[in-house]
Amino acid sequence: MRFEIVTIFPEFFTSIFENGILRRALAEGLVSVGVHDLRAFTHDRHRTVDDRPFGGGEGMVLKPEPLAEALASLGIQPKAARQKGPQAADSISSEGGGGFNPRIKPQSIGALAPEEKLVIEPVLYQGTTLQLAEKLEIEPVLCQGTTLVVPQMQQQERGALATEGSYSEKSPSRPHVILLSAQGRPFTQAMARELAATERVVLICGRYEGVDERVNELYCDMELSIGDYVLSGGELAAAVVVDATMRLVPGVLGNEASGDFESFGVADAEIAAADDGVPRSQHGAGGLLDYPHYTRPAEFGGLRVPETLLNGDHAQIRRWRREQQLRKTLANRPDLLEGAALSKEDRKLLESIRQEIG
Ligand code: ADE
């Protein structure tokens, strides 16, 4: 997959891509990144990228013209032009065009009740469920893996999609254009999974007071926030999105763990267990926080590693880790428990933890 980052601080990204997993992924050609200096698309002596806000107020606003030129240089047309047809919609300057070809599982054809799950055939569907939502012009309630929960959809629309076409090597999904801003939808692991399945993602880094809203309206598929706080610009947010997404691209993580977890939209400790029976780190899969990790030495600072982890009993280790996930989630993110995939045993355990901590 490829990221295109549009920024006024291109040098910001240098060290980020020169270290760790990202460096290896780039070196091995599993992912690629283009960093584009917004000032290169200005035409005045001062290379002006911002201006005062209409209506008055604090700060400066990024002007639309340089951003539009930067996007044009990447072959990104306004959304209206992209939606005119498969050819126009997907035309990317150097990487060819193609159609948007989702295919829905046959059992999904028919009336779709509000909040019903729509399962998209992962083999035939190239693109992301977010793109499918966009194509249908619906606001997804939840996008996870290849499942899209929609508020409502007409039978007609679904039938059209189901017969629209199938996966083709010649039909790369069109680029997904994202504006990083504190006003955006919250970025989640599920979104990172969606993006990791997209061939080309364009990230526009906002600065100053904001970006002229017409850029968002005309070009962006999504406005994305990495959290409920205001950064001085979108660069840090873009780095977060690139990091979280790239590690989910098949082959990037050495042990292929991400691939395993990606296939389990709602993995729990049982299904996440590998062939050797030892459950792997969850990193939010299944809707719970990860369990605590330990390495040598077995004793440090007067604290011993929990005995269960030392005795080699995989079933016990699995149970212990699940309990720790529940404890951590209850302590740090109780809000996650509502949407988590919990077994009967989990619920009993949770109840006893609640009683224990009062
Ligand atoms: N730009 C400023 N604040 C941001 C945030 N929280 N997420 C993404 N982009 C931003």
Side-chain angles (χ1 to χ4, degrees):
M1 78 166 296
R2 180 169 173 84
F3 276 101
E4 312 282 9
I5 302 173
V6 180
T7 171
I8 59 166
F9 292 124
E11 65 283 1
F12 172 93
F13 294 93
T14 314
S15 66
I16 287 171
F17 298 137
E18 281 178 358
N19 292 291
I21 288 172
L22 290 188
R23 178 197 165 112
R24 212 192 61 214
L26 289 164
E28 290 176 7
L30 295 166
V31 290
S32 65
V33 181
V35 180
H36 310 279
D37 185 357
L38 186 60
R39 290 193 197 278
F41 301 95
T42 56
H43 302 286
D44 63 317
R45 209 156 48 94
H46 301 292
R47 307 176 84 206
T48 310
V49 288
D50 61 335
D51 206 341
R52 282 167 298 147
F54 275 125
E58 292 293 304
M60 301 289 271
V61 176
L62 281 186
K63 289 161 66 61
E65 304 96 318
L67 281 165
E69 271 195 45
L71 293 172
S73 78
L74 298 172
I76 311 292
Q77 299 172 302
K79 277 188 287 189
R82 285 187 246 155
Q83 280 157 5
K84 275 199 181 119
Q87 276 332 101
D90 295 341
S91 58
I92 309 167
S93 59
S94 58
E95 303 189 24
F100 174 83
N101 296 309
R103 183 163 277 196
I104 299 167
K105 276 191 172 173
Q107 65 263 36
S108 300
I109 309 303
L112 190 72
E115 310 272 300
E116 186 185 332
K117 282 181 180 175
L118 177 67
V119 180
I120 301 151
E121 185 65 66
V123 181
L124 295 176
Y125 172 55
Q126 190 184 38
T128 72
T129 48
L130 290 176
Q131 285 173 331
L132 177 59
E134 182 212 320
K135 166 129 183 139
L136 293 169
E137 295 182 330
I138 53 168
E139 271 286 301
V141 175
L142 172 77
C143 282
Q144 197 163 45
T146 54
T147 302
L148 181 69
V149 180
V150 296
Q152 199 168 19
M153 198 191 297
Q154 300 301 318
Q155 181 170 359
Q156 197 187 343
E157 291 169 326
R158 308 172 69 217
L161 271 170
T163 54
E164 195 161 307
S166 59
Y167 173 89
S168 156
E169 283 294 308
K170 293 196 186 93
S171 303
S173 57
R174 70 167 184 76
H176 205 70
V177 183
I178 294 174
L179 173 64
L180 279 322
S181 114
Q183 285 66 248
R185 288 194 214 173
F187 182 57
T188 62
Q189 186 73 8
M191 275 188 198
R193 270 197 295 271
E194 299 278 341
L195 292 178
T198 306
E199 280 177 35
R200 196 167 176 234
V201 175
V202 180
L203 298 174
I204 302 173
C205 303
R207 268 276 145 185
Y208 311 117
E209 203 49 35
V211 175
D212 189 293
E213 186 63 17
R214 288 163 294 185
V215 173
N216 188 18
E217 242 174 77
L218 289 169
Y219 293 94
C220 296
D221 298 301
M222 194 199 284
E223 201 173 352
L224 211 57
S225 164
I226 61 159
D228 289 344
Y229 35 79
V230 181
L231 301 166
S232 44
E235 282 76 12
L236 269 170
V240 167
V241 171
V242 170
D243 186 292
T245 302
M246 275 193 186
R247 54 188 297 289
L248 300 177
V249 170
V252 169
L253 288 186
N255 62 9
E256 295 294 332
S258 73
D260 289 348
F261 292 112
E262 209 182 328
S263 30
F264 302 120
V266 284
D268 61 17
E270 295 300 322
I271 53 179
D275 290 347
D276 59 6
V278 182
R280 300 288 187 247
S281 174
Q282 299 264 309
H283 292 296
L288 294 181
L289 298 182
D290 200 6
Y291 49 76
H293 300 261
Y294 298 87
T295 185
R296 281 176 288 191
E299 189 160 331
F300 175 76
L303 295 177
R304 240 189 107 61
V305 169
E307 283 307 316
T308 309
L309 299 180
L310 304 174
N311 70 15
D313 181 335
H314 292 160
Q316 251 192 44
I317 292 173
R318 193 156 47 243
R319 275 197 299 277
W320 181 87
R321 285 180 169 171
R322 189 64 175 172
E323 181 185 333
Q324 296 304 314
Q325 278 192 279
L326 291 166
R327 282 184 188 277
K328 266 247 193 257
T329 310
L330 186 62
N332 295 344
R333 292 291 307 277
D335 56 303
L336 292 180
L337 289 168
E338 242 170 67
L342 298 180
S343 67
K344 232 164 115 183
E345 197 183 334
D346 287 334
R347 288 182 195 285
K348 266 174 48 190
L349 203 50
L350 194 57
E351 195 41 50
S352 70
I353 297 168
R354 277 196 172 113
Q355 281 178 2
E356 176 196 313
I357 60 177

